[in-house]
Amino acid sequence: MWGAMTSVEEKMLPHIALLGGGIFVRSQYIPRLKEISQTVVLRVIWSRSEESAKAAAELAHEFSPNVEYKWGDAGLNDIIQDSSIHGVLIVLTAQVQVDISLRMLRAGKHVLQEKPAASSLSEAENAMLFYHSLHANFPHRPIWAVAENYRFEPAFVESQRLAKEVGDMMSVQVIVESSMNSSNPYFSSSWRRNFAGGFILDMGVHFVAGLRMIVGYEVTSISAISRHVDTSLPPPDNVCAVFQLENGCGGVLVLSVSTRSPKISWRVVGSKGSVETERGIRNGQHGYTVTYSPAGEPPQCSFYPFCGVNEELKAFVQDISQANLKDGEAYEPDPRGTYLEGARDVALVEAMLESGLKNGELFHVKKL
């Protein structure tokens, strides 16, 4: 028996495996899965080592007392071959996530993979070609989602709505002054230091996801200057870019991962007003303040606590449930989570980094 549910109720729910036992699994995934434990059955937690898998499983015992833990290649193969596992959450290093995602998809399992969607645009494009080829093996392709929680934050949903109210778009500003240093638990993670783009790619996909969602248009071209200031971080750690949207509007993106005074905001200025989304803390809660300033009227402010990880997990579980009910018929998952959206984030960040390597040469963002 799983928790307070009957065995019949459990069989009706999606059964999932969680791959990974690192910081984000322990601090975010397991607590968030606890919050939605009445809608999904966590069957297995896997990690490369037995110690890591066991430690993560122990954290989940409170809400999933029968959760198993597996490790290594044998454990991964067990999950692949277990047809009763409907979906997999993949929270591993960027270098291996795509390969393991494709192995799970080939086995017919739905996948929610952590960002970035890939470590390069070419990897993402090859992965999508393989994914689309799965039509030959399944009546309907399994769901492949990327865990880009910014697209599920209510603040960005509201900002997207308000951006349509500011009239003709005149300018866009994205300011990211982050402070990645030795006090941050992710500072020492080796995988972020061992692939092109480092923290700029790993963190940057978040901020361009927020940009793309709020404005509702794709970035078509970008020119960037990059620098390496903090030598304790992989290069580059600072990028300043000018970009153009497909609607003709221009914008600026300042991305620094090594500042001492954190500030993160997105601002859209239009002919009828502006909307700004700024990260911060209110009453001890981390979240976003959305400020809508219609022309000639007082600003309207609303605060939205962080809840994107919870919302994206709920959406993925709901998508699996609906896909199971369709029993092979066509089903369209939540468009915010699709792998294509994650790949588009990578395409934009990669174009920005390439421009930085060539001293600001204008790069066109590949249209996917």
Side-chain angles (χ1 to χ4, degrees):
M1 187 170 183
W2 295 71
M5 290 183 286
T6 66
S7 58
V8 174
E9 289 173 326
E10 287 166 11
K11 288 179 181 178
M12 299 295 290
L13 298 179
H15 287 216
I16 63 170
L18 173 57
L19 309 189
I23 297 168
F24 204 62
V25 164
R26 300 191 302 270
S27 67
Q28 289 295 324
Y29 271 77
I30 290 176
R32 302 294 80 79
L33 285 170
K34 178 182 178 182
E35 294 171 7
I36 61 171
S37 59
Q38 294 304 306
T39 64
V40 65
V41 176
L42 178 59
R43 285 272 306 281
V44 181
I45 295 180
W46 175 92
S47 187
R48 287 174 296 177
S49 71
E50 179 182 6
E51 180 183 17
S52 176
K54 183 178 181 181
E58 287 173 352
L59 292 176
H61 276 159
E62 180 184 350
F63 66 93
S64 187
N66 293 335
V67 64
E68 298 178 68
Y69 63 91
K70 296 179 182 290
W71 65 95
D73 291 341
L76 198 62
N77 287 331
D78 285 347
I79 293 169
I80 289 171
Q81 294 168 15
D82 189 342
S83 60
S84 67
I85 293 176
H86 306 116
V88 183
L89 310 177
I90 300 179
V91 194
L92 301 169
T93 64
Q95 290 89 337
V96 302
Q97 285 198 133
V98 170
D99 178 62
I100 292 180
S101 292
L102 296 179
R103 291 175 65 185
M104 295 295 165
L105 291 163
R106 189 188 296 119
K109 303 188 188 305
H110 304 295
V111 169
L112 176 66
Q113 172 203 309
E114 258 300 326
K115 60 82 196 169
S119 56
S120 68
L121 178 56
S122 61
E123 182 184 40
E125 289 181 304
N126 289 333
M128 285 191 290
L129 285 173
F130 174 85
Y131 178 55
H132 289 300
S133 75
L134 292 178
H135 265 314
N137 300 324
F138 302 100
H140 186 61
R141 283 195 313 268
I143 297 163
W144 190 7
V146 171
E148 178 42 78
N149 56 66
Y150 279 43
R151 275 189 270 273
F152 288 85
E153 290 288 355
F156 289 95
V157 175
E158 178 64 2
S159 297
Q160 182 186 53
R161 184 186 72 81
L162 291 171
K164 297 174 183 176
E165 303 295 321
V166 300
D168 292 333
M169 201 173 288
M170 298 162 64
S171 69
V172 181
Q173 303 149 39
V174 183
I175 307 297
V176 179
E177 299 169 359
S178 186
S179 54
M180 178 56 63
N181 54 52
S182 58
S183 66
N184 189 297
Y186 300 102
F187 177 80
S188 299
S189 60
S190 60
W191 70 263
R192 290 177 173 87
R193 298 170 177 273
N194 294 327
F195 74 110
F199 286 99
I200 290 287
L201 175 58
D202 179 52
M203 298 167 67
V205 289
H206 275 319
F207 307 121
V208 302
L211 163 66
R212 293 178 52 243
M213 180 162 181
I214 290 172
V215 300
Y217 295 99
E218 296 298 335
V219 174
T220 57
S221 61
I222 191 164
S223 172
I225 300 297
S226 60
R227 297 184 66 211
H228 190 203
V229 179
D230 186 342
T231 55
S232 70
L233 295 169
D237 61 335
N238 287 268
V239 180
C240 295
V242 178
F243 60 83
Q244 185 173 36
L245 300 174
E246 59 187 346
N247 67 347
C249 181
V252 295
L253 189 159
V254 177
L255 176 52
S256 174
V257 298
S258 58
T259 67
R260 299 296 180 264
S261 54
K263 176 182 174 65
I264 300 176
S265 68
W266 297 255
R267 179 176 171 83
V268 178
V269 179
S271 60
K272 297 180 181 179
S274 65
V275 58
E276 184 166 10
T277 309
E278 184 167 10
R279 187 166 174 165
I281 303 173
R282 182 178 293 186
N283 299 325
Q285 286 187 302
H286 290 261
Y288 300 95
T289 297
V290 177
T291 303
Y292 175 48
S293 302
E297 297 181 29
Q300 304 167 18
C301 297
S302 300
F303 183 78
Y304 299 85
F306 290 159
C307 64
V309 176
N310 182 287
E311 292 301 314
E312 72 187 358
L313 284 173
K314 286 197 294 186
F316 181 63
V317 169
Q318 174 68 11
D319 283 340
I320 296 177
S321 297
Q322 291 300 312
N324 287 349
L325 287 173
K326 293 283 187 178
D327 193 25
E329 296 178 23
Y331 171 72
E332 292 299 323
D334 192 312
R336 292 174 294 176
T338 61
Y339 188 83
L340 177 60
E341 285 296 321
R344 286 170 173 163
D345 295 335
V346 172
L348 175 49
V349 175
E350 188 169 291
M352 180 177 68
L353 288 168
E354 291 287 341
S355 176
L357 287 172
K358 297 193 175 182
N359 298 314
E361 182 180 323
L362 186 68
F363 266 70
H364 293 281
V365 180
K366 186 160 187 180
K367 191 170 183 178
L368 300 176

